[in-house]
Amino acid sequence: MPLKMKELSAQTNESKSTILYYIKEGLLPEPLKPKPNMHLYDENCVQILKFIKYLQHNFSYSISEIKSIFKDNHFDFDGSFEMMVRSLELISGGKENKYYTKESFLKLVGMDEKRLKNYQKQGYLFERAKGFSSKEVEIAEILERAKILGLDFTLLDAYVENAKLLAQKENEIGANLLKSKEASHNERYELLFDLILKLKPYIFNIHTVEQHKKNIKKVQS
């Protein structure tokens, strides 16, 4: 159901001037104008505004960076789990909206194709639909340092194995949560982002620290 400016502003806590600015920048679609002095906004604008605010507040994305994301990717802001997964993929690619071909990626990180294929087979590194992002460059450099220093890669295998199990559970719970009627699409969508991008890393990292503390005490005792 189309919304008036006042309704859109109330549902998103965004000012009229901000909404008009986003329309001017192409982040929001132009409103319908059924008659003079009446502007009606698609209800999907609520989802888009929430997504913009999330990127700004939690990942410090600039408007120009968000524009680049929107320009190169089509989103169906229907509150679906698929939409959330696509959003996560973009965010996990890093803020730099730049992709490398396999050839340029290998040259940049100083890696041969055989080792790249092995990393991909083991699940350590992925090529996205548009190529390799700045995040893959960062991860590849870490992998190469780990190889040089003789890291036991069974640690990475454990990361991959547990990541797959968690992803399956997230998919099941996330899909059910988005079907729930207990809260709005926006609230459920934001909760899933926070669970996956904030709470999960926190729990992993804090348990890692606590376990290391226990190991240190054992050594010292």
Side-chain angles (χ1 to χ4, degrees):
M1 182 177 179
L3 303 169
K4 295 180 180 179
M5 171 62 79
K6 185 177 181 180
E7 295 171 323
L8 180 58
S9 179
Q11 288 191 31
T12 60
N13 292 317
E14 290 287 8
S15 67
K16 178 180 177 180
S17 60
T18 297
I19 293 172
L20 292 176
Y21 172 68
Y22 289 161
I23 292 172
K24 180 182 176 182
E25 292 297 311
L27 293 174
L28 290 174
E30 291 283 344
L32 299 173
K33 301 175 182 178
K35 56 185 179 180
N37 299 321
M38 177 178 284
H39 293 184
L40 297 177
Y41 300 85
D42 191 289
E43 61 183 350
N44 279 345
C45 287
V46 175
Q47 307 287 349
I48 298 172
L49 285 167
K50 291 284 187 179
F51 186 44
I52 292 172
K53 184 179 291 186
Y54 194 93
L55 291 175
Q56 288 177 318
H57 290 183
N58 293 283
F59 301 96
S60 301
Y61 274 69
S62 68
I63 291 299
S64 61
E65 289 167 337
I66 295 172
K67 283 177 66 176
S68 295
I69 289 176
F70 279 32
K71 178 181 177 182
D72 296 337
N73 298 273
H74 172 70
F75 289 118
D76 181 12
F77 286 90
D78 58 359
S80 68
F81 190 74
E82 290 76 14
M83 167 57 198
M84 192 207 72
V85 171
R86 289 199 61 192
S87 304
L88 285 172
E89 182 179 14
L90 285 171
I91 294 170
S92 67
K95 290 177 62 176
E96 183 183 353
N97 191 39
K98 184 176 182 180
Y99 291 88
Y100 303 89
T101 63
K102 182 168 67 175
E103 291 73 22
S104 60
F105 172 76
L106 290 173
K107 183 177 180 180
L108 181 63
V109 300
M111 183 186 295
D112 60 54
E113 187 170 357
K114 182 179 179 180
R115 193 146 72 250
L116 171 61
K117 287 183 178 180
N118 182 60
Y119 287 154
Q120 290 177 312
K121 181 180 179 181
Q122 296 302 119
Y124 307 153
L125 196 60
F126 287 83
E127 181 177 4
R128 300 166 192 265
K130 296 181 180 180
F132 296 91
S133 73
S134 58
K135 179 56 68 173
E136 275 72 57
V137 172
E138 178 185 5
I139 296 304
E141 291 172 345
I142 294 173
L143 289 170
E144 289 297 88
R145 282 162 44 207
K147 181 178 181 298
I148 292 171
L149 295 176
L151 176 75
D152 183 349
F153 273 52
T154 57
L155 173 64
L156 304 190
D157 295 334
Y159 287 164
V160 172
E161 182 180 355
N162 283 281
K164 289 178 179 179
L165 292 173
L166 279 174
Q168 182 61 37
K169 181 61 66 175
E170 288 169 350
N171 185 78
E172 295 170 1
I173 293 176
N176 289 332
L177 177 60
L178 287 174
K179 293 176 183 177
S180 171
K181 303 299 181 182
E182 297 298 320
S184 68
H185 274 316
N186 294 331
E187 291 171 321
R188 286 173 269 160
Y189 193 76
E190 289 175 5
L191 175 59
L192 282 172
F193 263 112
D194 286 338
L195 288 173
I196 295 171
L197 297 176
K198 294 181 179 179
L199 186 57
K200 180 170 68 175
Y202 170 80
I203 290 176
F204 268 75
N205 291 333
I206 201 68
H207 276 279
T208 298
V209 171
E210 291 302 310
Q211 186 61 49
H212 285 318
K213 287 180 180 178
K214 291 179 182 178
N215 292 341
I216 291 171
K217 287 181 179 179
K218 287 181 180 179
V219 173
Q220 293 176 340
S221 60

